[in-house]
Amino acid sequence: MYALMNAKIRLYVEHPLGAGQSVPLNRDQAHYLFGVMRLTVGGAVALFNGRDGEWQATVAKAGKRGGVLALNTQSAPLQMPPDLWLLFAPIKKARTDFIVEKAAEMGAARIVPVQTDFTNSERVRQDRLQAHAVEAAEQCGATFVPEVTGLQKLDRILADWPEGRQLMFCDEAAIGAPSGMADIAATHSAKPWAILIGPEGGFSDAERTRLRALPFTHIISLGPRILRADTAVVAAITLWQHALGDWQQ
Ligand code: SAH
């Protein structure tokens, strides 16, 4: 019943959210709320900004190029995802969009496109991918939006690796081996983590040798079949969330 009382439309804004605040709308937001969703003055919207939880708001002014929302009450506190980064090698555009959307829905805290030896795309549209993460958060009820970084070289990230963060290296060369997740879950629970998924061409021998030698790396198999990179992302986050993340709470 609680959910029914809250606004069905959720909108991400950058403005601070708090009691008594009013939030100005830009042209795109006004178009979405009043043009697409047909809201009028007095209509209800739920707002979040990734920092202040979710707030119920009412349309105070509605125009073609802007508008104002008045905040009522907080309907949910900020809920942070676990400290999990997803590192993935970007693939074709639609599949990369899918990866970002699914990682945001499933509870990654940071999404990092990485350039590996066999990565085809040299560039990613960071703003587009970030917009996909925002949309995913709007539709799945999240109050946090993961940051999507620009493309980073795998070598560089590994060289600057943060102290204490563990890396789940999904290695297609481990295909068919036991996943290895149970051992990890038993020994490494309360740490920050990252998952690494390679491109369609997989990892090079040089990358595999380097990754396997790093002290923070844990090799994981995703079963006896070769998964496409986008499937591998969903499978790996599922495994991690189930064993170590916020699905076990
Ligand atoms: N072209 C490669 C497969 C790449 S699949 C080959 O033929 O071997 C894309 C990525 O998904 C891989 O780099 C790996 O990170 C992940 N992946 C896919 N299937 C996997 C499996 N069974 N175990 C572990 N990782 C897997």
Side-chain angles (χ1 to χ4, degrees):
M1 289 312 286
Y2 182 69
L4 284 179
M5 286 156 53
N6 289 332
K8 293 225 172 62
I9 303 171
R10 297 186 88 236
L11 186 69
Y12 171 84
V13 294
E14 288 185 356
H15 201 273
L17 302 176
Q21 289 268 9
S22 54
V23 176
L25 296 172
N26 65 30
R27 201 190 177 105
D28 287 347
Q29 292 164 335
H31 172 72
Y32 170 68
L33 292 182
F34 312 134
V36 180
M37 302 310 288
R38 301 269 151 211
L39 273 187
T40 51
V41 169
V45 196
L47 299 180
F48 67 106
N49 61 7
R51 305 181 301 275
D52 301 322
E54 183 193 77
W55 286 76
Q56 299 297 313
T58 309
V59 178
K61 278 188 203 154
K64 272 210 158 59
R65 275 175 236 99
V68 176
L69 301 176
L71 290 188
N72 306 321
T73 52
Q74 193 186 40
S75 41
L78 174 65
Q79 191 186 359
M80 294 292 291
D83 190 354
L84 174 68
W85 295 357
L86 172 69
L87 276 51
F88 76 99
I91 43 177
K92 285 193 199 104
K93 204 173 108 192
R95 289 181 183 273
T96 299
D97 292 350
F98 175 94
I99 287 174
V100 169
E101 180 183 290
K102 298 310 156 205
E105 283 176 42
M106 296 181 77
R110 194 156 191 252
I111 301 173
V112 186
V114 293
Q115 190 168 359
T116 64
D117 290 346
F118 299 151
T119 301
N120 304 323
S121 74
E122 310 260 292
R123 231 179 270 169
V124 293
R125 285 277 311 274
Q126 189 181 355
D127 55 341
R128 242 179 68 101
L129 294 181
Q130 186 66 65
H132 277 289
V134 166
E135 258 178 53
E138 282 173 344
Q139 88 58 48
C140 76
T143 48
F144 175 84
V145 180
E147 179 198 4
V148 184
T149 72
L151 187 65
Q152 305 194 22
K153 290 204 159 75
L154 179 61
D155 270 359
R156 184 77 50 80
I157 296 192
L158 294 176
D160 298 338
W161 195 254
E163 175 94 41
R165 187 172 295 273
Q166 304 297 302
L167 178 64
M168 177 170 152
F169 168 36
C170 297
D171 183 359
E172 67 274 6
I175 201 161
S179 81
M181 207 60 217
D183 288 349
I184 291 175
T187 49
H188 284 87
S189 54
K191 296 218 164 119
W193 275 88
I195 291 174
L196 173 62
I197 302 290
E200 276 157 18
F203 292 99
S204 70
D205 288 342
E207 284 170 336
R208 180 165 295 113
T209 305
R210 177 163 189 211
L211 280 160
R212 288 184 169 224
L214 293 167
F216 47 81
T217 295
H218 306 263
I219 296 163
I220 283 289
S221 162
L222 299 174
R225 289 161 291 272
I226 299 176
L227 306 180
R228 296 191 77 130
D230 47 349
T231 316
V233 164
V234 174
I237 300 180
T238 306
L239 264 186
W240 189 90
Q241 279 284 35
H242 174 68
L244 297 170
D246 60 11
W247 296 7
Q248 24 158 39
Q249 284 163 7

